[in-house]
Amino acid sequence: MASLPLSSLSSLAGKRLLLGVSAGIAAYKSALIVRLLKQAGCEVRVVMTEGAQAFITPLTLQALSGEPVRTSLLDPEAEAGMGHIELARWADAVVIAPATADLIAKLVHGMADDLLTTLCLASEAPKLIAPAMNQAMWRHPATQRNVAQLANDGWQLIGPAAGDQACGDVGPGRMSEPEDIFSALAQHFASPIEAPKSITGNAPHIVITAGPTREALDPVRYLSNHSSGKMGYALAAEAAALGARVSLISGPVNLATPHGVERIDVETAMQMHQAALRLAPQAALFIGCAAVADYRADSAAEHKIKKTDDSDTLTLTLVKNPDIIAEVAALPANQRPVVVGFAAETQDLAGYAQDKLQRKGLDMIVANDVSQQGLGFGSDENAALLFWRVTSGTEQLAAPPQPKTQLAALIIRQALTLLPTQSSGALS
C-alpha cells in the first residue's frame, strides 16, 4: 500500500467518514480506500448496495474498517433505534466510491429506495462522489446532466479518470485511484485555518510541468517517451495540500487532476514551452518535472507515411525543441522564479545532475536513475538525489526508494526553503 502524503495525516485524523460502495467493478478498490483512511486515523463505516456485494464481500470491508458493514435499510436490529438516521448524523463526510451511473441518477432525483440513497438524503454532512462507469455511459448526455446537477446540489466530484476499462474500451469513466480519492478527502478537511500551519504568509504560486510530450510525425504517429506523469501530479497534489496556488502544465496522461489544482493540458513541447513562459514570470517556484521531447519532426507529414517495398529504411529530419527549464532559469531577475529541474539518467547520476544544475542555471535539481527496475517512469515509486545551491556551493540529499507521494512531500518542502521570504509563504 502506498504511503500517505505527509500533509494529509493531520487534516483527516479523528474524522468520521461514511463510505458508500455501489455496484461497479471498481468496488474492489474500496478496500484500499478504507485502509488509507484508517491509516490516517479516521473512523470509517461502510454502506454497500445490494449490487456492490457481487463484486466485494461485506466481510472484507468489515475486517478492514473494524466496524459492521451496513447493507440493508430494512435491518430490524439496526433500525430498532432508527439506525439510518443515527448513521447519517454520525458522519463528518459521506464519500461514494465507486458511484455507478444508476446510483448517480437516483441521487439526482432524490430517490431513497435503499440504505445508501436514504442516508444521502438524511445526512447534512459534506458529500463527495467518485463516478465509475463505461466511457460511453459517462459521455451520455443524461449522465452529464446528472453529474452537473449533483455539482449544483453541492456534491464534490472526484474524477473520473481516463484509460483502459474492464470492458476493453479506453476513455473517461474509470474511478479515480484510491490515493486520489484519499487526497481529495484530506484537502476537503484542510480548512483555511489549517492550511497556514503548512505554509505561512502569502500562498506562493507554484507552476509544475508533468508528463510526456508528443511530437507528431504524421496524423497517426508521434515521438514520445514512457513518462506517466505520476511524479509531477504527486508534486502538484502535495503543493496544493500545503496551501500553495498550483498551476499544472500537463502533457497527455491518464491521471485525475489533483484537487484544488489548475490544470493546463498541452501535447507538444512547443505548446508546453508557450504555457511555461507565460506562467513562469507570475510564479514564485517553477518545477520542470515533465519529460519533454528533445527533438521534433522538421515538418509532420500531412498524410500517414506509407511503408514502401523499395527501401528498408526511413529517414526523418528532426529539429531541436526549446529548452524550457533553461529559458525559465534565464528570465530577468524581476520575473524569474526559483527553478527546480529533474534529471532522468541511466548512468553517472550525480555527475550528470550537478552538471545540469550548473549549466542550466537551476536552483535545485532532482535526479533519478530510470534504469532501475520498478522505479521512475510508469511506476508508483521512485528514488532520487537532490542537489541545491547554497552560498558556499551545493548541498545534497539522497532519498531512498519510496512512494512518489512521499518523495513529492520531501521535494516540495525542500524547494520551498529556497524561496525568498519576502516574496512568498514559507513552511511553518
Side-chain angles (χ1 to χ4, degrees):
M1 183 177 64
S3 297
L4 305 179
L6 301 179
S7 58
S8 302
L9 296 171
S10 61
S11 66
L12 282 171
K15 299 299 182 184
R16 297 177 297 190
L17 297 178
L18 181 63
L19 175 64
V21 183
S22 66
I25 185 62
Y28 77 93
K29 296 182 180 180
S30 300
L32 182 53
I33 297 173
V34 174
R35 288 199 66 188
L36 288 167
L37 293 172
K38 291 293 289 184
Q39 185 181 350
C42 298
E43 293 182 59
V44 184
R45 296 184 184 178
V46 180
V47 173
M48 301 179 70
T49 65
E50 181 179 356
Q53 298 169 64
F55 294 94
I56 185 171
T57 67
L59 184 60
T60 298
L61 296 175
Q62 177 176 310
L64 292 170
S65 67
E67 299 285 347
V69 172
R70 297 285 303 277
T71 59
S72 174
L73 178 61
L74 304 177
D75 182 334
E77 181 178 350
E79 290 305 314
M82 297 299 286
H84 70 282
I85 298 297
E86 178 187 353
L87 192 55
R89 292 171 177 166
W90 170 86
D92 291 322
V94 176
V95 58
I96 302 178
T100 61
D102 177 68
L103 179 66
I104 290 171
K106 289 180 177 180
L107 293 172
V108 166
H109 292 284
M111 296 180 67
D113 60 350
D114 63 6
L115 179 58
L116 182 55
T117 52
T118 300
L119 284 168
C120 290
L121 275 185
S123 176
E124 296 180 348
K127 300 176 183 70
L128 301 91
I129 194 164
M133 64 197 73
N134 165 268
Q135 57 84 24
M137 295 171 69
W138 171 252
R139 290 186 169 115
H140 195 282
T143 303
Q144 291 302 303
R145 286 195 302 270
N146 287 339
V147 294
Q149 185 58 53
L150 277 185
N152 288 336
D153 291 344
W155 286 76
Q156 178 183 328
L157 266 69
I158 307 171
D164 296 333
Q165 300 184 326
C167 61
D169 285 358
V170 178
R174 285 171 52 100
M175 187 177 86
S176 295
E177 292 304 314
E179 293 84 359
D180 295 323
I181 295 169
F182 170 86
S183 178
L185 280 164
Q187 292 179 50
H188 172 79
F189 285 109
S191 69
I193 295 174
E194 291 175 319
K197 294 178 182 178
S198 296
I199 290 181
T200 59
N202 296 324
H205 182 196
I206 300 177
V207 175
I208 300 171
T209 66
T213 61
R214 291 178 178 173
E215 311 302 326
L217 299 176
D218 62 23
V220 298
R221 302 182 181 90
Y222 55 81
L223 296 173
S224 191
N225 55 64
H226 296 296
S227 174
S228 64
K230 290 179 179 179
M231 190 71 246
Y233 274 62
L235 290 165
E238 186 64 31
L242 285 171
R245 182 164 67 93
V246 183
S247 298
L248 177 63
I249 304 171
S250 176
V253 298
N254 292 320
L255 297 172
T257 306
H259 181 65
V261 170
E262 176 198 20
R263 174 169 162 176
I264 301 96
D265 287 311
V266 300
E267 183 161 323
T268 67
M270 294 300 291
Q271 291 169 350
M272 185 170 285
H273 173 262
Q274 183 180 24
L277 270 292
R278 174 173 59 86
L279 291 173
Q282 311 166 22
L285 174 63
F286 181 92
I287 303 177
C289 189
V292 184
D294 292 325
Y295 293 88
R296 68 183 186 277
D298 181 32
S299 60
E302 183 178 355
H303 302 288
K304 180 181 176 181
I305 300 171
K306 296 293 186 180
K307 181 171 62 176
T308 61
D309 294 331
D310 57 351
S311 176
D312 293 330
T313 62
L314 174 67
T315 300
L316 298 173
T317 301
L318 303 180
V319 295
K320 189 177 289 187
N321 275 321
D323 190 329
I324 297 173
I325 195 81
E327 289 193 29
V328 171
L331 286 171
N334 63 342
Q335 298 181 19
R336 184 190 185 280
V338 169
V339 183
V340 178
F342 273 68
E345 305 292 349
T346 58
Q347 59 179 335
D348 191 14
L349 191 63
Y352 282 124
Q354 291 184 84
D355 173 70
K356 185 173 182 179
L357 178 74
Q358 302 297 332
R359 179 167 42 85
K360 299 197 176 185
L362 311 181
D363 300 290
M364 176 174 152
I365 194 163
V366 181
N368 61 291
D369 186 347
V370 294
S371 68
Q372 293 188 55
Q373 189 171 4
L375 298 177
F377 285 149
S379 71
D380 293 322
E381 292 201 345
N382 209 347
L385 280 175
L386 279 62
F387 298 91
W388 62 92
R389 293 177 183 270
V390 294
T391 304
S392 58
T394 60
E395 292 188 1
Q396 69 180 74
L397 173 67
Q402 58 194 283
K404 287 180 176 177
T405 52
Q406 187 172 318
L407 181 59
L410 186 155
I411 293 168
I412 289 293
R413 281 163 171 74
Q414 179 54 48
L416 287 173
T417 66
L418 305 178
L419 299 187
T421 55
Q422 70 272 19
S423 63
S424 64
L427 283 176
S428 63

